[in-house]
Amino acid sequence: GGLGATHGDAATFPRLADVLGFVRPEDLLAVAEAVVTTQRDFGDRSNRKHARLKYTIETLGLDVFREEVARRAGVRFEPPRPVNFTTNGDRFGWTPDLDGAWSLTLRIPSGRIADTDQASMRAGLRAIAQVHAGDFRITPNQNLLIAGIAPSARSRIETLVRQHGLNLHETASPVRLDALACVALPTCPLAMAEAERYLPDLLTRIEAQLEVHGLKGNPLAVRITGCPNGCARPYLAEIALVGKALGRYNLHLGGDAAGRRLNRLYRENLDASAVFSELDPLFARYAQEKQIDERFGDFLWRSKLI
């Protein structure tokens, strides 16, 4: 798979991953090497924007790609075995490890560790680092996992977390817990619009709309990027803004909570007020017509609104 794209270039697009099949653990490295060499020899090396494995598979077809990888690796793919993921995302808060230690996952908005008027995250994590003997791990969802906490250190770390406002995993709304943004302006030279710096205001307005329609507390995957390269995985979100120009975004709708469905481009080149004008009637219908525990993205597809 791969989620990067380029505005106005139909030859580029986000794509979900495919399953090749099942291989034995002892064959894993040979298969991985065969995937790399197949991409090397069959990938589009003349166009950097098209030099991605997803486009190679799209061009060759999955069956041809699978056969080439199997030939190079000297293995035979078995049919895929059933896999069932019961949860996804980060497990916020305290979780026990198998070795008797503990892990603590903290919500870090946009992955930005800084001291602000709201929380002294940087100072707090520095204080934790001075007493913590385990690991710090960054998650794919821009959060931080403090791993290998001895039971005797748990109380001390919990105190530091609360003192420095690092307990957003306990206080933030579901919308804020799941939201992602790329760094965008002014850091990224590819950015066309704001993302990280606009995210707090975006979420505040979305939460206000949800509350108006009696949807306060509903989970909702919201993501925003400053360009179409997809660094915050916007094409999998239930609601995504993809930067088009300063203050203007493409609105994508309809991803699922598990990240197994691409969303669709719903409207192009909207300013902030137009984005919320588009979302408001959809939230109204969702509030009136949704089924029990039905997510917003699933509702949009079932109701043929996208």
Side-chain angles (χ1 to χ4, degrees), residues 251-272:
L251 175 61
H252 294 250
L253 299 175
D256 68 348
R260 292 192 293 257
R261 181 178 66 220
L262 292 174
N263 54 28
R264 280 188 172 179
L265 175 60
Y266 185 73
R267 296 287 186 269
E268 290 191 71
N269 202 24
L270 303 177
D271 62 18

Side-chain angles (χ1 to χ4, degrees), residues 3 40 66 74 107 115 126 141 158 178 186 206 222 232 248 250 282 305:
L3 298 180
R40 178 196 65 196
R66 181 190 294 110
R107 173 58 178 157
D115 291 340
R126 179 171 288 154
N141 296 314
E158 178 73 24
D178 290 338
I206 287 178
V222 178
R248 305 191 74 86
N250 287 350
L282 297 176
L305 294 173

Side-chain angles (χ1 to χ4, degrees), residues 207-223:
E207 287 175 328
Q209 281 190 311
L210 292 175
E211 185 167 6
V212 165
H213 295 291
L215 297 168
K216 182 180 180 181
N218 270 44
L220 184 66
V222 178
R223 296 176 184 174

Side-chain angles (χ1 to χ4, degrees), residues 18-258:
D18 291 295
V19 177
L20 285 179
F22 178 86
V23 295
R24 296 170 298 173
E26 56 266 31
D27 294 327
L28 180 60
L29 291 180
V31 170
E33 182 178 350
V35 169
V36 172
T37 61
T38 301
Q39 167 64 8
R40 178 196 65 196
D41 297 338
F42 288 88
D44 185 355
R45 300 173 68 84
S46 64
N47 182 354
R48 186 171 184 269
K49 292 182 179 180
H50 206 250
R52 300 290 185 271
L53 181 60
K54 61 179 177 178
Y55 301 130
T56 303
I57 294 176
E58 191 75 16
T59 300
L60 295 178
L62 186 63
D63 291 340
V64 172
F65 182 81
R66 181 190 294 110
E67 291 171 6
E68 183 63 24
V69 170
R71 183 187 68 79
R72 292 176 181 232
V75 304
R76 179 179 175 273
F77 283 101
E78 297 178 23
R81 298 188 182 183
V83 176
N84 181 33
F85 293 99
T86 57
T87 62
N88 70 305
D90 294 338
R91 295 186 297 173
F92 289 111
W94 292 97
T95 55
D97 296 338
L98 296 177
D99 60 0
W102 288 84
S103 292
L104 174 62
T105 303
L106 304 177
R107 173 58 178 157
I108 310 291
S110 299
R112 179 68 62 180
I113 295 173
D115 291 340
T116 67
D117 293 338
Q118 290 75 39
S120 52
M121 287 190 173
R122 184 178 179 184
L125 288 170
R126 179 171 288 154
I128 291 172
Q130 291 174 347
V131 301
H132 177 48
D135 302 328
F136 290 88
R137 304 173 189 171
I138 301 169
T139 81
N141 296 314
Q142 302 175 330
N143 298 311
L144 189 68
L145 189 150
I146 307 174
I149 301 172
S152 59
R154 178 173 168 174
S155 176
R156 188 174 184 183
I157 290 177
E158 178 73 24
T159 298
L160 290 171
V161 164
R162 296 185 181 279
Q163 284 179 349
H164 292 276
L166 283 162
N167 60 331
L168 287 178
H169 59 284
E170 298 175 327
T171 61
S173 69
V175 175
R176 291 183 185 268
L177 286 177
D178 290 338
L180 298 179
C182 74
V183 64
L185 297 171
T187 304
C188 178
L190 300 177
M192 304 173 184
E194 293 281 5
E196 179 187 344
R197 295 193 296 183
Y198 176 45
L199 182 64
D201 290 341
L202 171 66
L203 296 178
T204 296
R205 293 192 65 176
I206 287 178
E207 287 175 328
Q209 281 190 311
L210 292 175
E211 185 167 6
V212 165
H213 295 291
L215 297 168
K216 182 180 180 181
N218 270 44
L220 184 66
V222 178
R223 296 176 184 174
I224 179 172
T225 58
C227 84
N229 286 295
C231 292
R233 308 193 297 278
Y235 306 110
L236 299 176
E238 293 176 281
I239 297 175
L241 301 186
V242 176
K244 195 76 181 288
L246 190 61
R248 305 191 74 86
Y249 301 88
N250 287 350
L251 175 61
H252 294 250
L253 299 175
D256 68 348

